[in-house]
Amino acid sequence: MLNGKKIVLGITGSIAAYKSCLIIRELIKKGAEVQVVITPAGKEFITPITLSALTHKPVISEFFSQRDGTWNSHVDLGLWADAMVIAPATASTIGKMANGIADNMLITTYLSMKAPVFIAPAMDLDMFAHPSTQKNLRTLQDYGNHIIEPGTGFLASTLEGKGRMEEPVNIVARLEEYFSNEDIKPLAGKKILITAGPTYEKIDPVRFIGNYSSGKMGLALAEECASQGADVELVCGPVSAKMSRDYPNIHRTDVESAQEMYEACKAIYPTMDAGILCAAVADFTPETVADQKIKRTGDDMIIRLKPNPDIAASLGKMKRAEQKLVGFALETNNEESNAQDKLKKKNFDFIVLNSLRDKGAGFKTDTNKISIISAEGRKDFPLKSKVDAARDIVDEMVSTFNS
Ligand code: PMT
């Protein structure tokens, strides 16, 4: 479970720092790669030479490498790691982490960390029991960090025997347990293609035919699939919406036109387990694109349009028995019958209907009101955030995998 995992090990100034050698040994034995980041006080307790000999990597302590002045990037470390473990974590470091006091490399790395963080406090009982330490630990737990403590954890009713760092083998076991649960996420091992946003169809170098899609619904779907363990291929039209954080398991291809989106999807879908087609793809594109900005002449202007490829219908045709395909229908009238039509014509496993007649649904809003329609029937959902609607859609897809 730890094989190939990249672990940043933060070491701070505690007498328990020597035990970090045992953590490294245990992690490396299980196949993990370890990068040590140590505070200046940590170096008083254990030498970087010992640590780099064990990890086979230079130990990072300063913002700049002393040897050649190169910049140690905490942001890169935050993206590199699968997990960060801070063991031992002193009361001072815990306080700085809880309050964002980024005065050393370890705290800046912590603040940039995209991966889960595990904290093993180490201090004497009085420091541990002090309300400020307890408050800071609670804050870190509220931030989603994992506090590793011997026994029943720092919130236990009795603090007796507390503050001592958890044994190295148990710290590593907690990591293993975390990664083993990750393996059983509903979409672990699945590859999902998601299309998002609008397409722009060029008229001339300054004008295009587009639509109001912001990409919010598609990005929410990508985030939900990634959180459920999938490897996501996101093919995205021109959007300014951003994801709430970086995901190492979302790979994004940016496109502009329907033709580009079609080429990307046609190449990607054959290796996918499923596709969710949320993009608002232009059905038509100008037959010719002017090389230069079209000038006003006083006459009417006629743009002749030709049909774009129907991405959904093409993927529906190439779909293999074990693959799934989920489509969207954005309607303004005859919602149910139009959606039923698209469900069949495009060979979707189910279709997500949203109507511009519903307030708060469709383009640009942070909310959506959806119905899921399949051969089995129709499920209606109330108006929700796009994040929650994405969860309903992905849960439905997970159940189609399992049916
Ligand atoms: O991006 P947001 O602002 O958050 O808005 C979200 C949304 C309203 C765009 C989204 O919820 C949505 O409804 N997306 C589909 C919009 C659409 O184009 O629907 P459609 O009924 O025209 O198309 C039916 C299906 O075929 C869709 O899955 C579409 O992606 C696909 N299609 C359509 C045309 C085409 N040439 N190729 C396609 O693949």
Side-chain angles (χ1 to χ4, degrees):
M1 269 154 268
L2 289 173
N3 196 20
K5 294 286 183 227
K6 300 187 182 85
I7 313 290
V8 168
L9 177 61
I11 301 174
T12 71
S14 155
I15 190 68
Y18 75 93
K19 290 193 181 175
S20 54
C21 294
L22 303 175
I23 300 176
I24 295 171
R25 201 182 59 179
E26 196 68 13
L27 286 171
I28 287 186
K29 204 164 75 187
K30 295 188 184 285
E33 205 180 323
V34 183
Q35 172 64 62
V36 169
V37 180
I38 192 166
T39 62
K43 286 195 285 190
E44 304 290 331
F45 289 87
I46 186 153
T47 72
I49 296 171
T50 310
L51 297 164
S52 66
L54 289 169
T55 57
H56 310 290
K57 281 181 195 298
V59 165
I60 296 175
S61 172
E62 314 295 334
F63 290 109
F64 296 95
S65 160
Q66 279 177 350
R67 206 176 306 146
D68 56 8
T70 48
W71 160 249
N72 286 321
S73 171
H74 51 91
V75 177
D76 288 351
L77 274 177
L79 291 170
W80 173 82
D82 293 307
M84 180 176 192
V85 183
I86 302 170
T90 58
S92 160
T93 290
I94 287 168
K96 288 181 194 176
M97 287 163 68
N99 294 287
I101 301 169
D103 65 351
N104 65 41
M105 186 65 190
L106 192 152
I107 311 289
T108 50
T109 304
Y110 164 71
L111 292 177
S112 305
M113 190 49 60
K114 304 290 181 203
V117 178
F118 297 79
I119 301 160
M123 65 202 75
D124 70 30
L125 174 60
D126 291 337
M127 288 177 86
F128 188 82
H130 195 281
S132 102
T133 311
Q134 290 289 303
K135 183 169 157 249
N136 288 332
L137 282 170
R138 222 164 287 139
T139 301
L140 290 176
Q141 196 166 56
D142 289 347
Y143 292 160
N145 302 145
H146 306 258
I147 312 295
I148 306 182
E149 260 290 294
T152 45
F154 79 97
L155 286 174
S157 53
T158 167
L159 288 169
E160 207 176 321
K162 291 280 165 190
R164 183 173 49 83
M165 190 175 89
E166 177 59 289
E167 288 308 321
V169 280
N170 294 340
I171 292 174
V172 175
R174 273 292 290 278
L175 278 181
E176 277 191 297
E177 183 191 286
Y178 175 83
F179 285 115
S180 71
N181 285 340
E182 197 181 47
D183 286 346
I184 55 170
K185 282 183 175 176
L187 290 176
K190 293 271 190 269
K191 295 192 173 93
I192 316 288
L193 164 69
I194 292 170
T195 65
T199 61
Y200 285 179
E201 309 301 319
K202 266 200 169 86
I203 299 170
D204 68 13
V206 297
R207 303 181 181 93
F208 60 84
I209 298 171
N211 61 65
Y212 294 114
S213 171
S214 62
K216 286 179 186 172
M217 190 69 239
L219 296 193
L221 283 161
E223 291 201 44
E224 183 58 29
C225 286
S227 303
Q228 296 209 23
D231 281 325
V232 176
E233 286 287 344
L234 173 64
V235 177
C236 198
V239 296
S240 51
K242 299 244 174 322
M243 262 181 304
S244 66
R245 67 176 179 89
D246 288 330
Y247 290 82
N249 50 340
I250 297 182
H251 177 255
R252 177 167 170 164
T253 306
D254 286 303
V255 296
E256 188 173 289
S257 64
Q259 184 65 34
E260 285 169 14
M261 189 173 272
Y262 171 66
E263 301 293 341
C265 291
K266 212 171 51 165
I268 293 170
Y269 188 60
T271 59
M272 297 287 111
D273 295 290
I276 308 179
L277 307 179
C278 181
V281 185
D283 280 313
F284 297 94
T285 194
E287 206 169 56
T288 54
V289 181
D291 295 342
Q292 284 165 356
K293 186 177 171 189
I294 300 169
K295 296 278 177 299
R296 166 198 284 270
T297 61
D299 287 342
D300 289 352
M301 157 95 184
I302 295 167
I303 301 172
R304 200 178 162 78
L305 303 176
K306 62 178 181 185
N308 266 327
D310 186 330
I311 303 168
S314 310
L315 301 191
K317 266 197 202 109
M318 63 170 75
K319 183 171 85 161
R320 298 187 306 274
E322 74 282 8
Q323 283 181 306
K324 307 290 173 199
L325 194 61
V326 175
F328 269 73
L330 178 63
E331 303 298 339
T332 54
N333 58 309
N334 297 331
E335 286 86 347
E336 164 110 29
S337 68
N338 288 339
Q340 288 283 6
D341 245 30
K342 290 175 186 170
L343 175 72
K344 287 185 204 100
K345 275 197 191 131
K346 305 194 187 211
N347 195 17
F348 292 141
D349 292 271
F350 65 86
I351 192 160
V352 180
L353 166 64
N354 43 189
S355 170
L356 290 182
R357 280 205 282 192
D358 287 322
K359 206 165 174 289
F363 289 133
K364 292 196 289 193
T365 51
D366 289 328
T367 50
N368 207 357
K369 187 169 183 302
I370 60 161
S371 300
I372 291 180
I373 300 175
S374 70
E376 275 74 55
R378 170 175 174 147
K379 292 180 195 166
D380 294 320
F381 296 82
L383 184 73
K384 295 182 174 193
S385 68
K386 282 186 173 161
V387 171
D388 288 341
R391 190 162 309 131
D392 292 332
I393 296 163
V394 175
D395 286 348
E396 183 71 21
M397 189 183 65
V398 168
S399 60
T400 67
F401 275 125
N402 299 334
S403 65

